């Protein structure tokens, strides 16, 4: 699949997730087979760019793969300026967020709330596309609610105004993450437009990825929550799509190496204070299948130094082997 001039190495992407898809995680997922790893959502409001969280999200150097940066907001001029700043900072693709269901985002008429305002969608897309010389992509949901599922209309607006790839989560905003994703609307969107379509929502394993690609006709799939604690899911899906067979599960020594290197990268990227805190949630995801009683995770979450975290992880895997 291509986005603008970029030929992507696989058609399995990492979905942007706030507080999760930071630079260390994106780099890891690309190393393990993600064809594209879209950044965490960056606010288009310049007033918040001075915060440490925003500064970290606006670092686009040392990335693995194509640097795709997601921006969010509701003002066309503000979004255009944010796109320009992020391109100056190294972004190679700008992705506009119109899919986030969070109340704090939607109350500002950003994220999926924009799906209720097609004329504003058009104004935003035009403004951002005209502002930068890199490809602009869009992430949406199927609509605001079941009674206003207007994904096809939004997709046509996107294509007509220069969007080069469209990712669609198979839920409405009202669904949040409840129930099961539906793919009929994604299929209808793919049939209605010519630009690449990326299917998102409940892609949990290789078989599901193939099913969704076959059913919708989409050009790629986007994996979100299923990659938490399981970043090798990308190579598993790639292998299955290419060969129709399953890769063996990673051996314990490989899981150990991936996890410990990931934790070290979090410590390096965020520093000791925030790094050890952010490591806690990632380690919890990795350990879900190994630590059924949550004994290890409880002990790990009580540690207050990065060195202690690494020592306990090594001790844990030493005991397993």
């Amino acid at each position: 699949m291509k986005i603008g001039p970029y030929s992507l190495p696989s058609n399995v992407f990492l979905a942007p997730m706030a507080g999760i898809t930071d630079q260390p995680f994106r780099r890891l997922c690309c190393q393990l087979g993600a064809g594209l790893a879209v950044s965490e959502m960056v606010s288009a409001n310049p007033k918040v760019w001075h915060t440490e969280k925003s500064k970290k999200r606006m670092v686009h150097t040392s990335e693995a793969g194509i640097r795709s940066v997601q921006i969010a907001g509701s003002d066309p001029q503000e979004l255009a300026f944010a796109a320009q700043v992020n391109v100056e900072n190294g972004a190679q693709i700008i992705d506009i967020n119109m899919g986030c269901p969070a109340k704090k985002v939607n109350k500002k008429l950003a994220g999926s709330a924009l799906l209720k305002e097609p004329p504003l969608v058009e104004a935003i897309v035009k403004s951002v596309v005209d502002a930068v010389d890199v490809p602009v992509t869009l992430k949406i949901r199927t609509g605001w609610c079941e009674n206003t599922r207007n994904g096809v209309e939004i997709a046509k607006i996107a294509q007509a105004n220069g969007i080069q790839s469209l990712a669609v989560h198979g839920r409405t905003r009202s669904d949040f993450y409840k129930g099961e994703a539906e793919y009929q609307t994604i299929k209808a969107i793919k049939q209605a437009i010519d630009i690449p379509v990326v299917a998102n929502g409940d892609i949990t394993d290789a078989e599901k990825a193939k099913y969704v690609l076959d059913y919708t006709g989409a050009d790629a799939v986007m994996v979100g929550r299923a990659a938490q604690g399981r970043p090798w899911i990308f190579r598993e899906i790639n292998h299955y799509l290419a060969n129709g067979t399953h890769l063996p599960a990673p051996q314990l020594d490989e899981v150990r190496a991936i996890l410990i290197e990931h934790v070290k990268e979090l410590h390096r990227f965020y520093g000791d204070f925030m790094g050890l805190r952010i490591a806690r949630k990632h380690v919890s995801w990795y350990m879900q299948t190994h630590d059924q009683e949550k004994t290890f995770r409880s002990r790990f979450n009580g540690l207050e130094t990065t060195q202690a975290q690494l020592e306990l992880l090594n001790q844990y895997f030493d005991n397993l082997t």
Side-chain angles (χ1 to χ4, degrees):
M1 174 177 160
K2 291 189 69 175
I3 298 180
Y6 303 118
S7 294
L8 304 177
S10 89
N11 61 345
V12 187
F13 302 165
L14 172 65
M17 294 177 283
I20 299 167
T21 54
D22 53 19
Q23 190 182 92
F25 191 57
R26 295 196 303 273
R27 186 184 297 125
L28 175 59
C29 290
C30 285
Q31 291 168 352
L32 291 169
L36 185 70
V38 184
S39 78
E40 296 174 272
M41 184 172 63
V42 175
S43 173
N45 181 1
K47 294 178 181 178
V48 304
W49 291 352
H50 67 280
T51 66
E52 282 304 311
K53 182 168 71 173
S54 291
K55 287 177 182 177
K56 291 291 186 187
R57 291 185 180 184
M58 295 178 76
V59 174
H60 310 315
T61 55
S62 304
E63 292 277 0
I66 303 301
R67 299 185 293 274
S68 176
V69 177
Q70 187 178 83
I71 58 175
S74 58
D75 180 85
Q77 285 70 43
E78 222 173 51
L79 281 157
F81 179 64
Q84 291 171 335
V85 170
N86 280 281
V87 169
E88 289 169 5
N89 288 345
Q92 294 170 295
I93 294 172
I94 292 295
D95 185 60
I96 305 172
N97 182 306
M98 296 188 188
C100 179
K103 291 180 181 179
K104 67 179 181 180
V105 174
N106 287 181
K107 72 180 182 181
K108 299 175 183 176
L109 197 61
S112 53
L114 288 165
L115 301 176
K116 297 189 291 183
E117 304 288 342
L120 183 54
V121 169
E122 183 170 23
I124 287 171
V125 169
K126 280 183 177 178
S127 184
V128 175
V129 168
D130 290 344
V132 293
D133 293 326
V134 303
V136 179
T137 61
L138 178 64
K139 175 81 185 290
I140 67 170
R141 287 187 166 227
T142 57
W144 175 256
C145 65
E146 185 177 353
N147 296 325
T148 57
R149 192 176 274 123
N150 61 343
V152 171
E153 177 189 5
I154 298 297
K156 290 179 178 178
I157 291 171
Q159 176 173 273
N161 290 281
I163 290 297
Q164 296 197 35
S165 175
L166 178 69
V168 187
H169 184 116
R171 288 180 171 88
T172 66
R173 186 272 177 183
S174 297
D175 292 329
F176 285 88
Y177 296 98
K178 301 188 299 289
E180 296 182 355
E182 60 92 8
Y183 306 113
Q184 181 60 40
T185 303
I186 301 177
K187 181 178 182 178
I189 288 171
K190 177 59 186 172
Q191 293 172 344
I193 60 176
D194 298 318
I195 59 174
V197 172
V198 183
N200 177 222
D202 296 350
I203 311 294
T204 53
D205 55 36
E207 288 97 337
K208 189 65 172 289
K210 186 176 189 312
Y211 166 78
V212 172
L213 285 169
D214 290 345
Y215 180 80
T216 63
D219 302 273
V221 289
M222 185 170 269
V223 178
R225 290 170 288 172
Q228 295 170 194
R230 192 181 157 204
W232 46 85
I233 190 175
F234 298 99
R235 74 180 183 195
E236 292 175 343
I237 294 174
N238 288 332
H239 181 87
Y240 187 79
L241 293 176
N243 303 290
T245 59
H246 291 282
L247 276 178
Q251 295 293 311
L252 192 62
D253 59 348
E254 186 185 16
V255 174
R256 173 182 187 160
I258 290 170
L259 171 52
I260 289 178
E261 186 57 30
H262 188 183
V263 170
K264 286 180 178 178
E265 283 297 316
L266 291 170
H267 294 165
R268 280 193 284 265
F269 186 71
Y270 289 104
D272 289 356
F273 181 77
M274 285 304 300
L276 74 86
R277 285 159 175 78
I278 291 170
R280 290 169 182 163
K281 62 185 176 184
H282 285 277
V283 168
S284 179
W285 291 321
Y286 279 101
M287 288 295 181
Q288 283 178 355
T289 58
H290 295 277
D291 181 36
Q292 298 289 338
E293 302 299 320
K294 300 185 179 180
T295 305
F296 173 84
R297 282 174 280 178
S298 177
R299 186 178 172 193
F300 186 86
N301 289 343
L303 300 176
E304 289 296 339
T305 70
T306 57
Q307 186 60 35
Q309 286 188 336
L310 295 172
E311 289 175 356
L312 186 60
L313 283 169
N314 277 306
Q315 178 186 340
Y316 177 82
F317 282 101
D318 284 343
N319 290 338
L320 288 181
T321 57

